[in-house]
Every structure is written in structure tokens, then in C-alpha cells.
Amino acid sequence: MAKKAKKQQAGGTPATVALAAAGVAHTVRSYEHDPSHPSYGEEAAEALGVPPERVFKTLVAEVDRRLTVAVVPVAGSLDLKALAAAVGGKRAAMADPALAERTTGYVRGGISPLGQRKKLPTVLDSSATDHATICVSAGRRGLEVELAPLDLAKLTEAVLAPIGR
């Protein structure tokens, strides 16, 4: 119990704890979250001075009634048909936000593909491999983690597929 409290005091989230435990090279980057900003992902890109094509948002969708994580650039949107195809499904729709929060253990705008409460199938947009590093949520609004896309894919057991548009 004391160990968990110590990690939380140091600003750790389940995502950063998972990265540290795996020994994956990463950089945690924080910024002051503005609740009035219309887009969590665009806010992160602007605040961190990172091109939006290198900042990826984590979305939770239902593919044939099974929750699935999609990680796509904040500069674009998710192609639901492509997501369904990437996991061998037929139909996809965005998941209910409350269900996504309960299942992942994170709040909207802070959902990380790493350290989720329940392991979900994950698809990472293949454009991620165009970059040496990408940024994804570290599990809290105002907190991002920068890492190599193939490290993210390995840790989440993600399928790489063109799911962004």
C-alpha cells in the first residue's frame, strides 16, 4: 500500500508506472490543462509545441459489441470502418464515454492506451511509424508521455493499421 501511495505522490499514473516497469524509454511531459479548450488533443499539441500529427488521441469504440482502443493523430479523426476491419469485425461505433471511463480507469481527455484497468484490443494508426516518437496521454488531463511508436505497439499489443483519416 505504501508503495502505491509513493508512486502517486511522485505524480505516477498507471500508464507511467507500466512504462517504468517495462523499462521503456519515455519522457513524461506536462502542461496546464485549460478546461475551456475545445479539444484535449489539440490543446496538448499546442501547449507542448509538438506538431499535431505526432500527438495521438486514445479513443474507445465498440467493434461488434467488444470494446476496442483506437490510437489516432489528434489532427484527424477515426475511420470506424477501418477500425472494425483491423480487428476482424464488421461494425464499429464510438463507445459510451461513461463505459470507456469505467473500463479503462481513466477520465475522458486523459484516457491512455497504457495501464488500463482492463486490457482491451488496441489498434495504433500506422502513421505513427512515420515519426521517431509520438505523444499519447499519460493517464491524466495535462499529462502526456512521449515514446517510440513501436514501443507503444509492443506494450499494448496493438495492431498497426491505417485507421485515421
Side-chain angles (χ1 to χ4, degrees):
M1 189 72 147
K3 191 173 187 179
K4 184 177 181 180
K6 185 176 180 183
K7 286 181 182 177
Q8 287 181 338
Q9 287 175 353
T13 65
T16 60
V17 170
L19 284 166
V24 171
H26 65 281
T27 303
V28 177
R29 303 182 68 183
S30 64
Y31 60 93
E32 191 66 38
H33 167 60
D34 175 4
S36 68
H37 200 289
S39 166
Y40 297 115
E42 289 173 10
E43 176 191 20
E46 291 166 10
L48 298 174
V50 175
E53 59 272 7
R54 282 192 46 230
V55 179
F56 282 62
K57 56 189 168 187
T58 305
L59 304 171
V60 181
E62 286 191 53
V63 177
D64 297 340
R65 296 185 169 200
R66 183 173 183 201
L67 290 180
T68 303
V69 173
V71 185
V72 296
V74 302
S77 60
L78 172 62
D79 181 335
L80 289 166
K81 286 183 181 185
L83 175 64
V87 294
K90 294 183 193 255
R91 302 182 79 203
M94 294 307 298
D96 173 69
L99 177 60
E101 288 180 345
R102 277 193 315 274
T103 305
T104 64
Y106 294 117
V107 297
R108 220 177 104 206
I111 294 178
S112 176
L114 298 157
Q116 295 181 357
R117 183 176 289 151
K118 181 179 179 191
K119 184 133 179 74
L120 298 173
T122 301
V123 182
L124 174 60
D125 185 67
S126 53
S127 70
T129 60
D130 295 344
H131 312 285
T133 61
I134 60 171
C135 294
V136 296
S137 176
R140 188 168 59 227
R141 294 175 187 152
L143 195 65
E144 294 281 308
V145 63
E146 184 173 352
L147 75 165
L150 293 180
D151 286 340
L152 176 64
K154 183 178 178 182
L155 285 174
T156 59
E157 299 175 16
V159 171
L160 286 165
I163 59 168
R165 42 175 159 181

